Amino acid sequence: MYKAIAAIILVASAFPAWAQMSPEGLWRNIDDKTGEAKAEIRIRDIGGGVLNGALEKRLTKDAKPEDICDECSDDRKGKPILGLEIIRGAKKADGKEVWEGGKILDPENGRNYSLRMTPIDGGKKLEVRGSIGPFGRTQTWIRVQ
Protein backbone atom coordinates (compact mmCIF):
# COMPACT_ATOMS: atom_id res chain seq x y z
CA MET A 1 0.00 0.00 0.00
CA TYR A 2 2.78 2.43 0.88
CA LYS A 3 4.45 1.68 -2.44
CA ALA A 4 1.23 2.51 -4.29
CA ILE A 5 0.89 5.84 -2.45
CA ALA A 6 4.54 6.66 -3.10
CA ALA A 7 4.09 5.88 -6.81
CA ILE A 8 1.03 8.15 -7.02
CA ILE A 9 2.91 10.99 -5.31
CA LEU A 10 5.89 10.51 -7.61
CA VAL A 11 3.73 10.61 -10.76
CA ALA A 12 1.74 13.62 -9.50
CA SER A 13 4.88 15.57 -8.65
CA ALA A 14 6.44 14.82 -12.05
CA PHE A 15 3.38 15.99 -14.01
CA PRO A 16 3.94 19.77 -13.67
CA ALA A 17 7.52 19.41 -14.93
CA TRP A 18 6.37 17.33 -17.90
CA ALA A 19 3.58 19.77 -18.72
CA GLN A 20 6.05 22.66 -18.78
CA MET A 21 8.12 20.89 -21.46
CA SER A 22 5.20 21.09 -23.87
CA PRO A 23 4.63 24.15 -26.09
CA GLU A 24 1.04 24.27 -24.84
CA GLY A 25 0.27 27.49 -23.00
CA LEU A 26 0.64 31.25 -23.38
CA TRP A 27 3.84 32.64 -24.90
CA ARG A 28 5.24 36.12 -25.45
CA ASN A 29 7.13 36.29 -28.71
CA ILE A 30 10.25 38.40 -28.81
CA ASP A 31 11.39 39.88 -32.10
CA ASP A 32 14.79 38.39 -32.91
CA LYS A 33 15.85 41.62 -34.66
CA THR A 34 14.72 44.28 -32.16
CA GLY A 35 14.49 42.29 -28.92
CA GLU A 36 11.03 43.76 -28.26
CA ALA A 37 7.95 41.81 -27.24
CA LYS A 38 5.49 41.76 -30.14
CA ALA A 39 2.57 39.58 -29.11
CA GLU A 40 1.22 36.81 -26.91
CA ILE A 41 0.29 33.53 -28.57
CA ARG A 42 -1.82 30.80 -26.98
CA ILE A 43 -0.83 27.29 -28.11
CA ARG A 44 -3.42 24.52 -27.62
CA ASP A 45 -3.72 20.83 -28.34
CA ILE A 46 -6.65 20.57 -30.76
CA GLY A 47 -6.76 16.78 -30.44
CA GLY A 48 -4.54 13.85 -31.26
CA GLY A 49 -1.43 15.70 -30.10
CA VAL A 50 -1.79 18.34 -32.84
CA LEU A 51 -0.97 21.88 -31.71
CA ASN A 52 -2.38 25.13 -33.08
CA GLY A 53 -1.71 28.63 -31.82
CA ALA A 54 -3.58 31.91 -32.03
CA LEU A 55 -2.44 35.48 -31.53
CA GLU A 56 -4.15 36.44 -28.27
CA LYS A 57 -2.66 39.87 -27.52
CA ARG A 58 -0.67 42.37 -29.58
CA LEU A 59 2.02 44.29 -27.71
CA THR A 60 3.51 46.64 -30.31
CA LYS A 61 2.75 50.34 -29.97
CA ASP A 62 1.38 50.68 -33.50
CA ALA A 63 -0.99 47.66 -33.27
CA LYS A 64 -4.64 48.49 -33.76
CA PRO A 65 -7.52 46.17 -32.79
CA GLU A 66 -9.06 46.55 -36.24
CA ASP A 67 -5.90 45.48 -38.14
CA ILE A 68 -6.55 42.64 -40.56
CA CYS A 69 -4.30 40.21 -42.38
CA ASP A 70 -4.20 41.86 -45.82
CA GLU A 71 -1.12 39.89 -46.85
CA CYS A 72 -2.54 36.45 -46.05
CA SER A 73 -3.29 34.34 -49.11
CA ASP A 74 -5.35 31.53 -47.55
CA ASP A 75 -8.55 31.37 -45.47
CA ARG A 76 -7.08 33.96 -43.07
CA LYS A 77 -7.03 36.75 -45.68
CA GLY A 78 -9.06 39.71 -44.43
CA LYS A 79 -9.40 38.27 -40.91
CA PRO A 80 -8.50 40.31 -37.81
CA ILE A 81 -4.89 39.80 -36.73
CA LEU A 82 -6.04 39.70 -33.11
CA GLY A 83 -7.25 36.13 -32.61
CA LEU A 84 -5.65 34.93 -35.85
CA GLU A 85 -4.47 31.33 -35.90
CA ILE A 86 -0.77 31.63 -36.75
CA ILE A 87 0.35 28.09 -35.84
CA ARG A 88 -1.24 25.05 -37.44
CA GLY A 89 -0.59 21.32 -37.34
CA ALA A 90 2.53 20.92 -35.18
CA LYS A 91 3.13 17.43 -33.77
CA LYS A 92 5.68 16.03 -31.35
CA ALA A 93 8.59 14.31 -33.06
CA ASP A 94 9.08 10.67 -32.06
CA GLY A 95 11.35 10.38 -29.04
CA LYS A 96 12.26 14.09 -28.99
CA GLU A 97 11.12 17.21 -27.14
CA VAL A 98 10.50 18.91 -30.50
CA TRP A 99 7.24 19.76 -32.24
CA GLU A 100 7.35 20.04 -36.01
CA GLY A 101 5.48 19.26 -39.20
CA GLY A 102 3.22 22.27 -38.88
CA LYS A 103 3.22 25.75 -40.33
CA ILE A 104 3.63 29.21 -38.82
CA LEU A 105 2.20 32.33 -40.42
CA ASP A 106 3.88 35.72 -40.31
CA PRO A 107 0.85 38.07 -40.49
CA GLU A 108 3.12 40.97 -41.47
CA ASN A 109 4.00 39.41 -44.84
CA GLY A 110 1.33 36.68 -45.17
CA ARG A 111 3.89 33.92 -45.64
CA ASN A 112 3.61 30.42 -44.17
CA TYR A 113 6.81 28.80 -42.98
CA SER A 114 7.68 25.26 -41.93
CA LEU A 115 7.61 25.16 -38.15
CA ARG A 116 9.83 23.66 -35.48
CA MET A 117 9.25 24.37 -31.76
CA THR A 118 11.65 23.27 -29.04
CA PRO A 119 11.04 23.94 -25.33
CA ILE A 120 14.25 25.04 -23.59
CA ASP A 121 15.31 26.22 -20.13
CA GLY A 122 13.01 23.73 -18.40
CA GLY A 123 10.03 24.81 -20.54
CA LYS A 124 10.29 28.49 -19.59
CA LYS A 125 11.31 29.38 -23.14
CA LEU A 126 10.38 28.11 -26.57
CA GLU A 127 12.65 28.20 -29.59
CA VAL A 128 10.39 28.79 -32.58
CA ARG A 129 11.93 28.32 -36.02
CA GLY A 130 10.16 29.21 -39.23
CA SER A 131 11.85 28.21 -42.45
CA ILE A 132 11.47 27.82 -46.18
CA GLY A 133 13.96 25.22 -47.36
CA PRO A 134 17.36 25.88 -45.78
CA PHE A 135 16.52 29.51 -45.01
CA GLY A 136 14.78 30.60 -41.85
CA ARG A 137 14.93 32.39 -38.57
CA THR A 138 14.55 31.46 -34.95
CA GLN A 139 12.85 33.42 -32.20
CA THR A 140 12.91 32.63 -28.50
CA TRP A 141 9.50 33.01 -26.91
CA ILE A 142 8.98 33.41 -23.15
CA ARG A 143 6.28 31.48 -21.28
CA VAL A 144 3.70 33.78 -19.66
CA GLN A 145 2.82 32.50 -16.18
Side-chain angles (χ1 to χ4, degrees):
M1 172 142 164
Y2 292 114
K3 287 182 182 179
I5 292 171
I8 291 169
I9 291 171
L10 181 63
V11 169
S13 66
F15 181 75
W18 173 83
Q20 292 296 314
M21 288 305 291
S22 165
E24 289 181 71
L26 185 62
W27 297 92
R28 181 166 291 150
N29 80 334
I30 309 297
D31 189 293
D32 54 316
K33 294 176 184 171
T34 66
E36 294 180 17
K38 292 178 70 173
E40 290 181 356
I41 297 95
R42 169 106 32 212
I43 300 176
R44 292 186 168 100
D45 186 326
I46 60 166
V50 177
L51 302 182
N52 283 7
L55 204 147
E56 194 166 283
K57 184 177 185 181
R58 298 179 72 200
L59 303 171
T60 57
K61 295 175 187 126
D62 59 343
K64 297 179 186 86
E66 65 274 6
D67 287 343
I68 60 172
C69 194
D70 289 323
E71 301 298 324
C72 293
S73 60
D74 57 13
D75 61 298
R76 295 169 280 198
K77 184 170 184 65
K79 300 275 174 76
I81 291 177
L82 192 61
L84 194 67
E85 190 175 71
I86 63 167
I87 293 174
R88 289 182 171 171
K91 292 183 178 181
K92 190 170 191 281
D94 286 339
K96 298 180 187 175
E97 291 300 319
V98 174
W99 281 256
E100 55 193 5
K103 297 285 184 182
I104 187 164
L105 169 74
D106 182 344
E108 291 178 10
N109 63 26
R111 290 191 187 123
N112 279 293
Y113 299 90
S114 295
L115 172 65
R116 182 178 178 96
M117 299 184 293
T118 308
I120 59 173
D121 195 15
K124 295 177 187 167
K125 296 179 181 177
L126 185 66
E127 282 187 350
V128 180
R129 180 158 182 83
S131 58
I132 295 178
F135 305 103
R137 63 191 252 212
T138 303
Q139 292 182 340
T140 301
W141 295 3
I142 309 297
R143 188 180 293 276
V144 177
Q145 297 298 332

